[in-house]
Amino acid sequence: MILSRHIEAFGVVEDQLAVGGIPVGRLALRVGSTPFFAYDRHLITKRVASVRAALPDGIGLGYAVKANPMPAVVHHLAALVDSLDVASSGEMGVALDTGTPPEHISFAGPGKTDSELIQAVAAGVLVEVESPREAARLAGIGSQLGIRPSAAVRVNPDFAVLGSGMRMGGGPQQFGVDAEEVPALLRDLSSLDVQFEGFHVFAGSQNLRAEILVEAQRRTVELVLRLAEAAPSEVRYLNLGGGFGIPYFEKDPALDIAHVGAHLGGLFTDVVSPAMPNARVMLELGRYLVGEAGIYVTRIVDRKDSRGRTYLVVDGGMHHQLAASGNFGQVIRRNYPIAIAGRVSEAPTEEVSVVGCLCTPLDLMGDQVRLPIAEVGDLVAIFQAGAYGLTASPTRFLGHPDPIEVIV
Ligand SMILES: *Cc1c(COP(=O)(O)O)cnc(C)c1O
């Protein structure tokens, strides 16, 4: 069962779920209040190591800060990965504070403002341009400042890889430059005072099917080789994106990362390396590196029965962990794995609904889940909270205080 897998990953100390060896009850005292997010640095380290082990030599690993921008988390990851990808000037500031060299920070995202571009050029980070107009603005800012900007072109691929409800790339998008428009942009770049570095292709997110990722990577490389013919200079950077998913729900399979790594190895040795010998080839992962390393902890404030159903009402909710309520882009609401932190060795003997403290029926954290019998004051842990948690949630909704974040 998936739940025991999560409990096992974090560990049990004194019959309680633990984070970094500290029982969650004790951690709650240390943190000082509930709700809170707790991230396990050891699990993050282990995850990066397993990705490194699966990836062929020569493929770099980047962290997409958007997945979890808590400065201490980014700092921890900065020491483990080769680069950081940011998508706002706020994230860029966090990334620079880690001491990561600016040439190992890339700045993606549509709608970069002039002030963000000025900051990025001044910092010396790699700007991943998302449109011809943005490329021209970047060049203009570079000449104003007298600093030659580094740029890569983010490409919206001209293929879609489909399967099992997953889709990677293709179609109209606000991200990147359509593949068929890229050669013209590359010609323009050659007349602009911009240092062209290479390409970035990010075809999709939360993919659990290795064969789809493998196919997307193969077609990405094929596309980039074609586009490179029009490049103003040698390709020195190739960001293959990421899209590695984590299993949120009981029936989700875990991604077979060894399979992805093996194919990438062949692709790298046979195709990429001969054609682009000086390219820094990267994967850029967010969710996969941190998603499973975090829990959201919230305390039961009421227990009530309504017409045959039992509700555990907690002091947190969707305003902190929107995704667990099913309102973060999910089509069908399913339960995130959940546990009563202090009762992990007790049998799940009752069916309850765990609801947040917001005055809206949307605030449902666990719909008729089987749990050990829990009382007011018990701590509820919701797993898979390490990525797209706090910063992807509507914290102002209903005006409750912000939760604390801690890395252990
Ligand atoms: C969000 C994002 C990522 C990370 O996606 P994950 O699904 O979290 O791995 C990587 N690259 C870019 C450009 C992104 O916008």
Side-chain angles (χ1 to χ4, degrees):
M1 204 179 85
I2 189 157
L3 190 57
S4 56
R5 178 176 79 79
H6 293 292
I7 294 171
E8 235 170 72
F10 281 89
V12 175
V13 176
E14 294 163 9
D15 279 338
Q16 291 184 39
L17 181 71
V19 181
I22 302 175
V24 165
R26 172 91 179 250
L27 185 59
L29 293 172
R30 170 180 138 177
V31 167
S33 61
T34 54
F36 62 91
F37 284 84
Y39 312 119
D40 186 325
R41 73 175 75 236
H42 176 64
L43 288 181
I44 296 174
T45 304
K46 244 173 72 177
R47 177 53 65 101
V48 172
S50 75
V51 175
R52 293 276 198 199
L55 289 186
D57 290 346
I59 304 267
L61 179 62
Y63 172 57
V65 170
K66 167 180 93 209
N68 188 330
M70 183 201 186
V73 167
V74 180
H75 197 92
H76 181 67
L77 272 156
L80 304 172
V81 299
D82 303 306
S83 63
L84 298 173
D85 185 77
V86 301
S88 70
S89 62
E91 290 186 358
M92 185 179 79
V94 171
L96 288 166
D97 283 348
T98 65
T100 300
E103 61 273 22
H104 291 168
I105 297 173
S106 53
F107 188 171
K112 299 180 198 75
T113 62
D114 280 353
S115 74
E116 285 178 311
L117 290 175
I118 289 168
Q119 287 178 271
V121 172
V125 309
L126 176 66
V127 177
E128 303 193 314
V129 298
E130 306 255 356
S131 78
R133 217 173 239 125
E134 188 176 85
R137 281 168 54 223
L138 178 69
I141 282 166
S143 52
Q144 256 172 42
L145 301 179
I147 306 166
R148 188 171 161 87
S150 292
V153 175
R154 181 162 174 192
V155 181
N156 175 23
D158 53 2
F159 58 82
V161 181
L162 302 162
S164 307
M166 306 271 183
R167 179 199 171 92
M168 302 277 287
Q173 269 191 38
Q174 74 263 50
F175 306 109
V177 181
D178 291 347
E180 56 278 20
E181 309 293 336
V182 169
L185 172 61
L186 292 173
R187 275 193 298 278
D188 292 348
L189 277 184
S190 62
S191 61
L192 296 173
D193 197 12
V194 168
Q195 177 58 48
F196 168 80
E197 293 288 333
F199 298 100
H200 175 199
V201 185
F202 176 62
S205 195
Q206 183 47 23
N207 208 306
L208 291 170
R209 311 280 304 204
E211 65 277 14
I212 294 176
L213 285 168
V214 162
E215 178 66 4
Q217 287 165 354
R218 191 184 65 74
R219 303 202 45 187
T220 296
V221 165
E222 212 175 82
L223 169 64
V224 165
L225 290 186
R226 236 185 319 127
L227 296 176
E229 289 167 22
S233 56
E234 184 187 34
V235 175
R236 300 199 302 177
Y237 172 79
L238 172 54
N239 183 339
L240 297 173
F244 294 21
I246 60 173
Y248 284 97
F249 310 114
E250 264 189 56
K251 292 195 180 73
D252 286 346
L255 174 65
D256 182 355
I257 190 168
H259 182 79
V260 177
H263 278 259
L264 204 50
L267 196 61
F268 182 73
T269 315
D270 301 341
V271 187
V272 180
S273 186
M276 302 172 178
N278 295 316
R280 199 152 59 83
V281 184
M282 314 282 315
L283 282 182
E284 172 185 82
L285 305 180
R287 187 191 311 270
Y288 193 78
L289 298 186
V290 291
E292 303 203 270
I295 58 173
Y296 175 59
V297 180
T298 174
R299 194 181 294 280
I300 298 173
V301 293
D302 200 4
R303 182 189 160 105
K304 59 193 275 192
D305 296 302
S306 168
R307 301 193 173 126
R309 192 170 294 182
T310 299
Y311 289 91
L312 303 179
V313 187
V314 297
D315 62 0
M318 66 181 285
H319 53 316
H320 300 159
Q321 178 50 349
L322 181 67
S325 75
N327 294 296
F328 187 53
Q330 294 98 329
V331 180
I332 303 166
R333 192 202 170 284
R334 289 182 290 177
N335 291 321
Y336 273 39
I338 191 167
I340 307 299
R343 301 179 188 271
V344 286
S345 43
E346 295 173 27
T349 49
E350 68 169 358
E351 191 175 278
V352 294
S353 288
V354 180
V355 297
C357 60
L358 300 192
C359 201
T360 162
L362 295 177
D363 196 6
L364 178 59
M365 305 305 278
D367 186 19
Q368 301 173 73
V369 290
R370 287 205 77 76
L371 290 174
I373 293 171
E375 301 298 338
V376 169
D378 278 352
L379 296 170
V380 172
I382 300 172
F383 295 94
Q384 308 298 70
Y388 305 108
L390 178 56
T391 58
S393 300
T395 50
R396 300 288 294 275
F397 191 31
L398 278 140
H400 291 277
D402 284 344
I404 289 172
E405 291 179 287
V406 62
I407 180 168
V408 186

